[in-house]
Structures are given as C-alpha cells and as structure tokens.
Amino acid sequence: MGREQVSYTVEQLVALNPYNPDILPDLENHVNEQVSSQTYSLDANLCLLRLYQFEPDKMSSQIVARILIKALMAMPAPDFSLCLFLIPERVQMEDPFKTLIVLSHYLETGRFRQFWEEAAKSRHLVEVVPGFEQAIQAYAVHVLSLTYQKVPRAVLAEAINIEGLSLDKFLEHQVANSGWALEKGQGKGQLILISQNEFNHPELKKNAAESIPLEHITRIFPILG
C-alpha cells in the first residue's frame, strides 16, 4: 500500500519545520489568505520573513509589503518592528517599504494628519488590504483615549480622517457602544467625552498592592522567614 498524503495546516508546518524552504509557497499563500479573509497570523508571517533571509532570491516584494501592512493594522502591538527586523536594510530603502516605514513612524508619533496625507498618496499600496483604514482609525481612537478625557471634534476628525455626516454616524456608534458622550464646547464647537480608563483618569489605576490577592501575599511570608 502506498503512503497516504498527510495534510498539514500552516500553523503545523511552522511548528514542525520552520526553517524548511519547501514551505515557502504555503506561507506566501497564507499571507494572501490573511488579506482576503481579513485574518492575521504574526507567527507564520515572521517565519516567512526568516525564510526569505535564507532564500533572498525567492523574496516577493508584494508579499512582504502585505505582511508589513497587516503588521501596521495590528498597532499598538509591536508587530511592525518585529517584521522590519527580519528585512535587510538595503531592502528597507526600496519602495514600497520605505513608504510603509514612514507611515509607521507617523503612527508611532501620533502624527495622524501626516499619516493620512501620506496614505492617500499610496492608495494603490494600502487599499489592497481590506480593513486597513478601519484598523488605523481604531488605533487612533486608542491613542486619543490614552490622552484625552475630552477631545475636540476637530482633533478627532483629523485623527480618524472622517468629517461631516460620516463623523456624525461614527460618533453615534461610539456613544451607543463605547460609553462616549457629547457636549457643547466654546462657540459652535463640540467636545467628545471619552469613556474613562486608567490612563485618562489616573485615579482609576489600582495600586500594585491592591492588585495582588491576599492569599498570594500570605504564601510569601513563610519563604521570607
């Protein structure tokens, strides 16, 4: 009897033999699947970038760009830096990678207006990956929520690149689902009250001692004695 063909998932291939160049096509296909299905697998993508280091002639610029775009969408996780570490510096200086590095820098420094302006120049690059705009908007809201208790409407509009009726609908959703509230600012301005968290309301942050269960502390005493 002939040996039956065994089928493995990408995750199993990565776990079983992450340095086998034969799995390159499977990992590349998996990147495209992540794009089309709007899923994400950092471990598989890092494995592919490592294999490209050993097989530089087989590197696909299109695939690497898609990996980096998906990593940008994962912010505030440090995935972009992790991926970039596995890409040679000479490659980083080429398009489209240097554009993506600029976009990453704008996001990391909270320069959202510059980010959206640069992204608009590179629509052909970022619009290939569905959900990109929404993921960056979510990241922008995350950054604002760490900084503001009340944010002017104009500041929010610039950060998420939405204005007018679209912004009104966005705010309605946030008020209904995220605990936001609206109030009138000076003149005709509008202020958005962001839901409280331990960053924009430091008094909500628990002391370290309060966060350690009592039974854990009592177990320490015999060790110290």
Side-chain angles (χ1 to χ4, degrees):
M1 292 180 63
R3 183 176 297 177
E4 292 185 4
Q5 184 73 26
V6 180
S7 175
Y8 294 101
T9 66
V10 169
E11 289 75 15
Q12 288 171 327
L13 289 174
V14 171
L16 289 170
N17 203 349
Y19 297 102
N20 183 355
D22 292 341
I23 68 174
L24 263 171
D26 294 295
L27 293 176
E28 291 176 333
N29 289 335
H30 189 52
V31 172
N32 291 325
E33 288 171 6
Q34 292 173 56
V35 170
S36 61
S37 63
Q38 296 193 45
T39 54
Y40 184 52
S41 178
L42 175 62
D43 289 342
N45 294 346
L46 291 175
C47 180
L48 176 55
L49 293 176
R50 280 194 298 269
L51 287 174
Y52 280 152
Q53 288 185 316
F54 298 113
E55 304 279 344
D57 56 313
K58 295 183 179 179
M59 191 192 85
S60 164
S61 295
Q62 181 187 72
I63 291 294
V64 175
R66 292 184 174 190
I67 288 175
L68 290 175
I69 293 170
K70 293 294 283 187
L72 275 182
M73 293 166 63
M75 291 186 76
D79 299 13
F80 189 88
S81 296
L82 293 174
C83 292
L84 203 62
F85 182 75
L86 296 173
I87 300 173
E89 285 189 23
R90 60 174 179 77
V91 176
Q92 295 180 26
M93 299 304 296
E94 302 171 358
D95 281 323
F97 310 119
K98 63 181 182 181
T99 297
L100 293 172
I101 291 171
V102 169
L103 290 175
S104 171
H105 176 68
Y106 285 149
L107 289 180
E108 289 174 353
T109 54
R111 296 158 67 184
F112 294 111
R113 179 176 59 80
Q114 291 93 329
F115 169 84
W116 292 114
E117 289 174 353
E118 188 66 30
K121 299 174 188 175
S122 309
R123 289 187 182 277
H124 64 284
L125 178 63
V126 298
E127 287 186 349
V128 172
V129 182
F132 176 79
E133 186 172 318
Q134 292 82 357
I136 302 304
Q137 288 167 344
Y139 171 69
V141 168
H142 166 76
V143 171
L144 292 178
S145 71
L146 300 182
T147 311
Y148 289 95
Q149 296 179 0
K150 299 180 181 181
V151 58
R153 179 186 175 101
V155 172
L156 175 66
E158 180 177 279
I160 63 176
N161 199 37
I162 301 179
E163 295 179 334
L165 291 176
S166 297
L167 181 55
D168 290 335
K169 290 182 179 179
F170 177 85
L171 289 172
E172 286 177 12
H173 178 81
Q174 294 297 111
V175 169
N177 297 279
S178 301
W180 288 17
L182 307 177
E183 70 175 33
K184 290 183 178 179
Q186 294 181 348
K188 295 183 179 179
Q190 187 181 48
L191 287 175
I192 294 94
L193 282 67
I194 297 178
S195 51
Q196 296 184 6
N197 59 69
E198 65 182 63
F199 297 99
N200 63 17
H201 284 74
E203 67 274 12
L204 296 178
K205 194 168 186 177
K206 293 183 178 180
N207 292 327
E210 294 176 353
S211 64
I212 303 175
L214 180 60
E215 62 269 21
H216 290 186
I217 297 175
T218 57
R219 288 175 190 164
I220 296 174
F221 289 139
I223 300 174
L224 295 177

mmCIF file of all heavy atoms in Angstrom, residues 9 17 88 95 101 122 137 178 194 219:
data_model
loop_
_atom_site.group_PDB
_atom_site.id
_atom_site.type_symbol
_atom_site.label_atom_id
_atom_site.label_comp_id
_atom_site.label_asym_id
_atom_site.label_seq_id
_atom_site.Cartn_x
_atom_site.Cartn_y
_atom_site.Cartn_z
ATOM 1 N N THR A 9 -1.848 22.005 8.456
ATOM 2 C CA THR A 9 -2.191 23.418 8.440
ATOM 3 C C THR A 9 -0.903 24.236 8.414
ATOM 4 O O THR A 9 0.185 23.711 8.692
ATOM 5 C CB THR A 9 -3.010 23.809 9.684
ATOM 6 O OG1 THR A 9 -2.176 23.658 10.858
ATOM 7 C CG2 THR A 9 -4.249 22.934 9.825
ATOM 8 N N ASN A 17 8.564 22.447 11.105
ATOM 9 C CA ASN A 17 9.815 22.666 10.368
ATOM 10 C C ASN A 17 9.899 24.099 9.866
ATOM 11 O O ASN A 17 9.768 24.367 8.662
ATOM 12 C CB ASN A 17 9.893 21.692 9.181
ATOM 13 C CG ASN A 17 11.333 21.462 8.744
ATOM 14 O OD1 ASN A 17 12.245 22.164 9.165
ATOM 15 N ND2 ASN A 17 11.529 20.480 7.883
ATOM 16 N N PRO A 88 16.265 42.946 5.371
ATOM 17 C CA PRO A 88 17.570 43.603 5.215
ATOM 18 C C PRO A 88 17.423 45.115 5.007
ATOM 19 O O PRO A 88 16.471 45.570 4.376
ATOM 20 C CB PRO A 88 18.154 42.925 3.971
ATOM 21 C CG PRO A 88 17.459 41.610 3.878
ATOM 22 C CD PRO A 88 16.082 41.842 4.405
ATOM 23 N N ASP A 95 11.213 51.132 -2.466
ATOM 24 C CA ASP A 95 9.753 51.199 -2.462
ATOM 25 C C ASP A 95 9.209 49.792 -2.638
ATOM 26 O O ASP A 95 9.806 48.987 -3.352
ATOM 27 C CB ASP A 95 9.253 52.097 -3.592
ATOM 28 C CG ASP A 95 9.381 53.578 -3.253
ATOM 29 O OD1 ASP A 95 9.158 53.917 -2.069
ATOM 30 O OD2 ASP A 95 9.700 54.367 -4.153
ATOM 31 N N ILE A 101 7.483 52.390 6.124
ATOM 32 C CA ILE A 101 8.250 52.788 7.311
ATOM 33 C C ILE A 101 7.886 54.212 7.720
ATOM 34 O O ILE A 101 7.750 54.514 8.910
ATOM 35 C CB ILE A 101 9.766 52.648 7.041
ATOM 36 C CG1 ILE A 101 10.132 51.162 6.908
ATOM 37 C CG2 ILE A 101 10.575 53.291 8.158
ATOM 38 C CD1 ILE A 101 11.549 50.919 6.431
ATOM 39 N N SER A 122 -0.533 56.806 -1.366
ATOM 40 C CA SER A 122 -0.161 55.397 -1.577
ATOM 41 C C SER A 122 -1.382 54.482 -1.550
ATOM 42 O O SER A 122 -1.319 53.355 -1.068
ATOM 43 C CB SER A 122 0.847 54.961 -0.503
ATOM 44 O OG SER A 122 1.925 55.861 -0.423
ATOM 45 N N GLN A 137 -8.001 53.667 12.122
ATOM 46 C CA GLN A 137 -8.938 54.512 12.871
ATOM 47 C C GLN A 137 -9.101 54.006 14.294
ATOM 48 O O GLN A 137 -9.139 54.793 15.251
ATOM 49 C CB GLN A 137 -10.292 54.553 12.158
ATOM 50 C CG GLN A 137 -10.279 55.377 10.877
ATOM 51 C CD GLN A 137 -11.507 55.175 10.022
ATOM 52 O OE1 GLN A 137 -12.264 54.214 10.210
ATOM 53 N NE2 GLN A 137 -11.725 56.071 9.069
ATOM 54 N N SER A 178 -19.659 52.507 23.120
ATOM 55 C CA SER A 178 -18.374 52.646 23.816
ATOM 56 C C SER A 178 -18.418 53.592 25.005
ATOM 57 O O SER A 178 -17.368 53.925 25.564
ATOM 58 C CB SER A 178 -17.292 53.125 22.818
ATOM 59 O OG SER A 178 -17.163 52.203 21.755
ATOM 60 N N ILE A 194 -14.657 60.995 26.213
ATOM 61 C CA ILE A 194 -14.240 59.614 26.006
ATOM 62 C C ILE A 194 -14.445 58.829 27.295
ATOM 63 O O ILE A 194 -14.250 59.351 28.396
ATOM 64 C CB ILE A 194 -12.764 59.565 25.565
ATOM 65 C CG1 ILE A 194 -12.606 60.281 24.221
ATOM 66 C CG2 ILE A 194 -12.254 58.131 25.466
ATOM 67 C CD1 ILE A 194 -11.192 60.352 23.708
ATOM 68 N N ARG A 219 1.395 33.581 51.186
ATOM 69 C CA ARG A 219 2.293 32.497 50.810
ATOM 70 C C ARG A 219 3.745 32.968 50.820
ATOM 71 O O ARG A 219 4.670 32.162 50.932
ATOM 72 C CB ARG A 219 1.953 32.007 49.390
ATOM 73 C CG ARG A 219 0.630 31.224 49.310
ATOM 74 C CD ARG A 219 0.312 30.885 47.891
ATOM 75 N NE ARG A 219 -1.040 30.349 47.746
ATOM 76 C CZ ARG A 219 -1.667 30.255 46.582
ATOM 77 N NH1 ARG A 219 -1.070 30.664 45.487
ATOM 78 N NH2 ARG A 219 -2.888 29.763 46.521
#
